[in-house]
């Protein structure tokens, strides 16, 4: 918790919930009440934005985002604890990642404080949409994009930063673990490209293969590196780990995989558990030879991978309660839901911050 945070109670026990069938929540778009919008002119910096009713945005048909894909997104979650507090998990890390992406895509970016303040405001403005403890979380999605028109010449005249909220349940519905297809043709990112930032341009180019894999009954796709096609990179939107004996390995950050915040937490936690953690090049053979494989992300949390299929050959891995993935899932969600002491200082409790009081939220 930030040292300056005031400890006004944020009891939600008596508060009304939105009319949602919480037990049926999946991971998808759900319209909520309010969103945050801030705009910035070229050459200026982002000023404090506004909470406004959730609505479509008006945008120039000639905008940078529509024509050239100048956009970045971030995703994080707000959690309700059993004792009625509202928590965030490492929101500063999302803010910093957005900054590095903004630099890569030539955009100005809200400061870390602005970003975190926007998150708190959006959560408080949509408080009744935060699922009850254990039923799900409130997913916060932000998008930073070039909203000004651009046809030939730079610069883009205006940028927009927006954030909205959707109640979500589980991302993957495969209880027994995921069955992945190792993609041998399409690539997700290339050296020197934008794979290392959450650029909106990284996702739809691989829908063709994700859709095909899903139609074939797979849960998700595991991508290989573009340079050699020999090494494992990551899934569509989550990072991958392999376990063999006392060694946990994950592809190193080299610009072609997204530096996941969950990935970073898992590296710390597994070291605390006494494993040796290696961030390195992970050849497909090493993955096929692993005892256990799992993926990580804000949406996926930690999800066991039951099998991978590479060139039509299926290889299975350990699943169930005794896996490292199960232990990590439990540890991480206990910290996020405030059930255990947060020794790493990862959680941020949302108090009725000054700004939100003035906004009468
Ligand atoms: C968002 C994302 C992840 C996971 O990052 P987290 O910060 O853990 O949510 C991993 N890979 C890709 C491609 C992503 O877009």
């Amino acid at each position: 918790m930030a040292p300056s945070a005031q400890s006004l109670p944020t009891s939600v026990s008596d508060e009304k919930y939105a009319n949602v069938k919480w037990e049926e929540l999946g991971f998808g778009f759900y319209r909520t009440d309010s969103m945050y919008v801030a705009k910035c002119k070229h050459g200026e910096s982002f000023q404090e934005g506004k909470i406004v009713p959730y609505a479509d945005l008006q945008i120039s048909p000639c905008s940078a985002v529509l024509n050239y894909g100048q956009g970045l997104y971030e995703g994080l979650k707000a959690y309700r604890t059993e004792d009625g507090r509202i928590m965030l998990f490492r929101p500063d890390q999302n803010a910093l990642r957005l900054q590095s992406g903004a630099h890569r895509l030539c955009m100005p970016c809200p400061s870390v404080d602005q970003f975190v303040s926007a998150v708190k405001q959006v959560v408080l403005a949509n408080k009744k949409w935060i699922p009850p403890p254990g039923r799900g979380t409130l997913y916060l999605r932000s998008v930073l994009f070039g909203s000004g028109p651009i046809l030939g010449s730079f610069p883009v005249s205006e940028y927009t930063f927006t954030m909205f909220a959707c109640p979500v349940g589980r991302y993957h519905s495969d209880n027994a673990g995921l069955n992945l297809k190792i993609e041998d043709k399409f690539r997700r990112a290339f050296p020197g490209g934008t794979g290392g930032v959450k650029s909106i341009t990284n996702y739809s180019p691989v829908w063709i293969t994700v859709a095909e894999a899903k139609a074939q009954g797979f849960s998700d796709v595991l991508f290989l590196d573009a340079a050699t096609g020999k090494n494992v990179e990551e899934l569509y939107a989550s990072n991958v780990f392999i376990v063999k004996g006392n060694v946990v390995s994950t592809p190193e950050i080299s610009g072609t995989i997204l530096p996941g915040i969950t990935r970073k937490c898992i590296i710390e936690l597994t070291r605390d558990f006494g494993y040796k953690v290696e961030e390195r090049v992970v050849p497909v053979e090493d993955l096929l030879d692993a005892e256990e494989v799992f993926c990580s992300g804000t949406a996926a949390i930690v999800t066991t991978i039951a099998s991978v299929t590479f060139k039509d050959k299926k290889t299975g891995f350990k699943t169930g309660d005794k896996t490292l993935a199960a232990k990590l899932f439990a540890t991480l969600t206990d910290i996020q839901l405030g059930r255990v002491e947060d020794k790493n200082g990862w959680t941020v409790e949302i108090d009725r911050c000054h700004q939100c009081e003035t906004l009468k939220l």
Side-chain angles (χ1 to χ4, degrees):
M1 204 196 324
S4 61
Q6 294 163 24
S7 41
L8 287 167
T10 48
S11 167
V12 290
S13 51
D14 54 348
E15 176 204 346
K16 287 220 324 244
Y17 281 105
N19 185 18
V20 176
K21 292 199 174 106
W22 303 110
E23 58 287 348
E24 287 170 19
L25 265 188
F27 199 101
F29 175 73
Y30 214 110
R31 190 187 169 121
T32 56
D33 296 329
S34 307
M35 63 183 198
Y36 178 94
V37 185
K39 288 187 193 270
C40 171
K41 295 259 173 280
H42 171 72
E44 297 178 1
S45 356
F46 270 98
Q47 303 298 312
E48 182 55 42
K50 277 207 291 265
I51 292 284
V52 294
Y54 184 92
D56 292 349
L57 296 170
Q58 270 211 340
I59 188 163
S60 163
C62 199
S63 60
V65 63
L66 285 183
N67 291 266
Y68 303 114
Q70 190 189 31
L72 293 162
Y73 83 90
E74 271 303 328
L76 69 161
K77 287 169 169 175
Y79 309 79
R80 239 187 240 278
T81 65
E82 303 282 343
D83 58 2
R85 290 173 296 152
I86 301 170
M87 314 291 275
L88 299 174
F89 190 72
R90 310 192 78 176
D92 57 315
Q93 296 291 313
N94 295 92
L96 290 168
R97 188 166 64 193
L98 188 66
Q99 286 186 345
S100 93
H103 176 73
R104 179 68 178 75
L105 296 192
C106 303
M107 289 191 281
C109 186
S111 69
V112 172
D113 284 351
Q114 270 172 342
F115 182 92
V116 175
S117 160
V119 175
K120 291 178 175 176
Q121 292 177 56
V122 173
V123 172
L124 289 172
N126 294 292
K127 207 162 150 186
K128 65 175 196 235
W129 298 96
I130 313 173
R135 293 291 180 83
T137 52
L138 189 69
Y139 182 75
L140 292 319
R141 170 58 67 93
S142 70
V143 198
L144 171 66
F145 59 95
S147 44
I150 173 166
L151 202 54
S153 63
F154 283 109
V156 177
S157 57
E158 184 199 74
Y159 302 89
T160 301
F161 173 65
T162 184
M163 192 183 300
F164 56 93
C166 298
V168 295
R170 294 190 44 192
Y171 181 67
H172 287 115
S173 49
D174 317 60
N175 275 323
L178 308 183
N179 295 294
L180 304 184
K181 176 180 179 180
I182 299 187
E183 171 57 54
D184 202 21
K185 180 169 150 213
F186 293 102
R187 307 293 182 217
R188 182 190 167 269
F190 56 89
T194 54
V197 298
K198 253 175 142 66
S199 170
I200 60 171
T201 55
N202 293 341
Y203 301 87
S204 62
V206 292
W207 285 356
I208 184 167
T209 172
V210 175
E212 187 188 88
K214 295 216 165 163
Q216 293 168 343
F218 293 104
S219 338
D220 204 332
V221 167
L222 184 58
F223 290 97
L224 301 180
D225 76 298
T228 70
K230 293 193 161 95
N231 307 311
V232 173
E233 294 223 303
E234 60 177 324
L235 283 69
Y236 172 67
S238 55
N239 296 114
V240 68
F241 287 82
I242 68 171
V243 189
K244 191 167 185 193
N246 194 40
V247 183
V248 176
S249 308
T250 192
E252 64 193 345
I253 304 291
S254 61
T256 54
I257 67 160
L258 201 279
I261 297 160
T262 323
R263 174 188 180 278
K264 202 165 154 179
C265 297
I266 287 174
I267 290 173
E268 280 191 45
L269 290 174
T270 41
R271 283 204 175 116
D272 291 349
F273 294 164
Y275 287 85
K276 181 167 186 281
V277 183
E278 293 179 342
E279 293 179 73
R280 60 171 171 96
V281 171
V282 179
V284 181
E285 291 72 39
D286 285 13
L287 175 117
L288 299 178
D289 197 35
E291 287 147 15
E292 188 190 331
V293 181
F294 59 87
C295 67
S296 75
T298 297
I301 315 179
V302 180
T303 306
T304 297
I305 291 164
S307 78
V308 300
T309 299
F310 185 47
K311 301 188 197 286
D312 296 326
K313 187 171 175 291
K314 187 170 175 177
T315 307
F317 307 102
K318 185 175 161 190
T319 59
D321 296 347
K322 300 278 182 296
T323 53
L324 174 60
K327 185 172 171 182
L328 283 166
F329 179 89
T331 309
L332 208 53
T333 48
D334 278 350
I335 297 172
Q336 290 168 336
L337 293 169
R339 291 193 288 238
V340 295
E341 192 200 341
D342 169 19
K343 295 193 193 99
N344 303 290
W346 287 342
T347 53
V348 175
E349 185 178 343
I350 304 190
D351 293 281
R352 294 210 186 90
C353 57
H354 172 69
Q355 250 159 346
C356 310
E357 286 286 298
T358 24
L359 288 165
K360 302 242 177 318
L361 295 173

